[in-house]
Amino acid sequence: MVLELGYLLYLGISIAMTIWVARTLSRNGEVFLVKCFGQDEQLAKSTNHLLVVGFYLVNIGFIALRMDGWNVARAEAAMIPYVAAKIGLSVLVLGAMHFFNMAMIARYGRTVAGWAHGQEALRAPLPTHLPPLPPERR
């Protein structure tokens, strides 16, 4: 019964923290992304949403993996420190992942924005009315 309580504590705290962090990063990260993508708000919003989805997938996957291999004796002897250590490692790994993502966006954001704008220029319709050609000079 004690181990099940530990699982519930771990899952409840980890998932609640994941939701809170994802919302915070999404809300506050959009301004950063707009700047990094050269004021392209549509690209920033799209990237922001993709990052949030990726954050949820990685975080919930990592939380699920950490459910395996619990030491029953240690968990029963000191439940709070044991669960805190499980959560702590998850938070440290995800924090490191977040700073890596921020560094990559800061480094390559303008490149991505240029690529996206270049693709839009290639898809833009050709003008239907062309200006007249200048007269030939002899």
Side-chain angles (χ1 to χ4, degrees):
M1 185 65 184
V2 173
L3 191 58
E4 287 79 11
L5 177 63
Y7 289 150
L8 289 175
L9 281 170
Y10 172 72
L11 285 173
I13 293 168
S14 296
I15 291 173
M17 217 165 40
T18 297
I19 293 168
W20 174 72
V21 170
R23 287 182 179 170
T24 301
L25 293 176
S26 176
R27 191 176 332 108
N28 297 314
E30 195 167 311
V31 173
F32 175 78
L33 291 172
V34 169
K35 289 274 190 193
C36 285
F37 292 138
Q39 306 302 321
D40 186 337
E41 288 187 34
Q42 184 178 5
L43 180 61
K45 285 182 183 199
S46 174
T47 302
N48 195 22
H49 182 73
L50 293 172
L51 287 171
V52 168
V53 170
F55 180 81
Y56 277 125
L57 291 172
V58 170
N59 203 2
I60 291 172
F62 193 71
I63 289 168
L65 287 173
R66 302 272 300 148
M67 292 291 293
D68 189 31
W70 283 42
N71 184 322
V72 178
R74 283 186 59 206
E76 288 178 352
M79 178 60 68
I80 301 299
Y82 189 74
V83 171
K86 290 272 188 187
I87 294 169
L89 180 60
S90 298
V91 170
L92 286 173
V93 168
L94 292 165
M97 183 183 75
H98 170 66
F99 282 114
F100 174 78
N101 286 341
M102 296 292 288
M104 292 300 104
I105 290 167
R107 182 171 181 172
Y108 298 111
R110 297 230 187 251
T111 302
V112 171
W115 172 81
H117 289 292
Q119 296 297 320
E120 288 174 8
L122 291 175
R123 285 192 302 264
L126 294 173
T128 56
H129 177 265
L130 297 174
L133 294 173
E136 282 187 35
R137 292 188 188 186
R138 292 184 189 193

